[in-house]
Every structure is written in C-alpha cells, then in structure tokens.
Amino acid sequence: MSYNIHHANPPSRVGLIDLDAIANVINREKPDLVAVQEVDVHTSRSGKEVSEAAVLANKTGMKAYFAKSIHYDGGDYGVLILSRLPISNAETHRLPTASGTDGEPRVLATAEVEVMGRKLLFACTHLDAQRADTNRFLQINTIAEILQKEKLPVVMGGDFNAEAGGSVIDVLDQHLTRTCTTNCGFTIPSDQPGKTIDFIAFTPGAFDVKEQKVINEPYASDHLPVTATLRFH
C-alpha cells in the first residue's frame, strides 16, 4: 500500500487528528508493507506527545521506520515504512532541492524486508509539491541513482506529486515498472478524485502484478490509498 495520510487529519474536520481512521483503512486491507507519507512526530498540530509513526505501528501491529524530512511545528515531519515482515538496514536518503526554489526538503526511506525466505528493498518517498517540476525532477533522478545500485529487487510506493505523461513519471518509468499504467484510478482529492499522483512501482521483471486498486476511502485523508498484490517472478 502507498498512502498519503495528510498527518491523519480528515479534510472535512479541520484540526482533528484521527489516527484510528487511518489505522482502520490499513487494517481492512491487511497489506504486508505500507509506504506512508505526511507523518507527524511530536508536532504541536498533531500533539506534542504523539508520534504518529508509533501510534500507527501499535494500532496495526506492524513494525515501523520513520524517516524525517523536516523539523516542523516543534517536532518532525516525514515518511514512514510499516511492515508486517522482518525489516533490517533501514536508511534515510536525503533528496536534493534546487537553491532559490524554497522547496521543502524531501527524503527516500528504504528498508530490507524478508518475505518467505527472500529479500526485497521496500522504499517510500514524497516528492516536492511545488507547481514546477524542478525539484521533483532532481529528486526522481536521485532516487533512480540510489536504486540502480541496489542488488535486491525493489518495491517503492510514494506520492510523486506528478501525473503520468510528464517528465517526472517518465524518469520513474525508465527505471521501474508501475503496478498500473493504463486506466489507473484517481487518487486525489479523495472526495472528488481527478488526478493520479500516488504510485507503486518495482524492479522490472522482478514481480508479477496480481492485483492493483485504488481504495475508495474519502474521509480519512485528502488522498486515496493505492494497493497492489505482487508475486515474486
């Protein structure tokens, strides 16, 4: 699953933090791995005592690795890997932002995951949200460089803030295979979705896609979660 959770704030409920709603979505779908974006840890807006990463791990019974992108509102803000499977060698890779753009720093989180005696690298990212592709293009190329060095098969989920057919997803498609490339469900905004910017992708030839779908969950976040069922090739 890839899920931008909008710091667990339902768009229809200004100021409310509803981690149960996010956890319920994950628990209903029962994914083995989740790439989560927009996660607050000890921020004032979500509760200084609250680590959304830890709460979601507890509520889903999954292991967690949080990767900080920025210091925000007295705490940390970034992306999260959740896994029902053993994980190891988790890392945070900082992604570039062009000087003068005032772009928010972004990261790629990676962790090795063992599945039925085989290993893969699971990755999670959230690319720049500015109108211009400048930073997204830098960031996706850096991700490609990082993953090209990886010997394990890769599965990556993320909010790319870019649609298919543009330069950013073109780079993604040069290096990884998206679980859906035609007639993909829209992922944002959740109440009236009209764009697809959230994707799951993998090392070409490493997996077969058994199923891919966008989950119709309009309340919990401003994005709809994406799930894919993969089988080792």
Side-chain angles (χ1 to χ4, degrees):
M1 175 183 281
S2 183
Y3 199 4
N4 181 323
I5 66 168
H6 195 244
H7 66 277
N9 165 232
S12 62
R13 304 289 299 277
V14 177
L16 177 72
I17 301 300
D18 192 346
L19 285 158
D20 282 333
I22 300 297
N24 288 343
V25 174
I26 296 171
N27 288 333
R28 279 199 304 269
E29 296 303 317
K30 298 181 174 60
D32 292 310
L33 296 161
V34 191
V36 190
Q37 303 86 40
E38 296 198 12
V39 179
D40 278 359
V41 172
H42 305 309
T43 66
S44 293
R45 71 174 174 183
S46 297
K48 288 295 293 178
E49 74 288 354
V50 176
S51 164
E52 292 190 342
V55 172
L56 287 174
N58 179 260
K59 289 181 179 293
T60 60
M62 301 174 85
K63 301 166 185 65
Y65 175 68
F66 174 74
K68 175 181 176 177
S69 296
I70 59 170
H71 184 74
Y72 180 82
D73 201 18
D76 298 331
Y77 174 79
V79 301
L80 171 69
I81 288 173
L82 291 173
S83 176
R84 294 193 195 284
L85 306 160
I87 61 175
S88 59
N89 299 322
E91 290 186 69
T92 301
H93 309 265
R94 308 226 46 102
L95 301 177
T97 300
S99 61
T101 61
D102 293 325
E104 187 180 276
R106 301 289 169 138
V107 298
L108 174 74
T110 60
E112 293 182 15
V113 181
E114 187 169 340
V115 188
M116 300 172 64
R118 299 177 69 174
K119 281 194 170 184
L120 61 83
L121 188 82
F122 189 65
C124 172
T125 197
H126 182 194
L127 301 190
D128 184 270
Q130 293 182 322
R131 184 176 295 275
D133 276 339
T134 307
N135 288 318
R136 285 188 291 276
F137 192 69
L138 287 174
Q139 290 161 2
I140 194 65
N141 275 286
T142 299
I143 289 171
E145 290 172 14
I146 293 167
L147 298 183
Q148 275 182 310
K149 300 171 186 174
E150 181 56 47
K151 292 181 173 59
L152 294 174
V154 174
V155 177
M156 176 169 64
D159 171 2
F160 293 84
N161 274 310
E163 295 181 87
S167 61
V168 175
I169 302 304
D170 282 352
V171 173
L172 175 65
D173 289 346
Q174 288 167 24
H175 298 276
L176 297 176
T177 300
R178 283 181 288 131
T179 55
C180 179
T181 55
T182 58
N183 301 317
C184 305
F186 296 137
T187 62
I188 190 172
S190 57
D191 57 344
Q192 292 184 307
K195 293 200 301 185
T196 305
I197 62 174
D198 303 88
F199 299 103
I200 298 170
F202 58 88
T203 300
F207 301 92
D208 295 321
V209 182
K210 306 305 293 180
E211 183 182 40
Q212 198 271 355
K213 59 185 177 179
V214 176
I215 308 301
N216 182 21
E217 169 43 64
Y219 168 75
S221 172
D222 61 341
H223 287 243
L224 300 178
V226 179
T227 67
T229 303
L230 304 178
R231 183 177 65 187
F232 275 107
H233 192 67

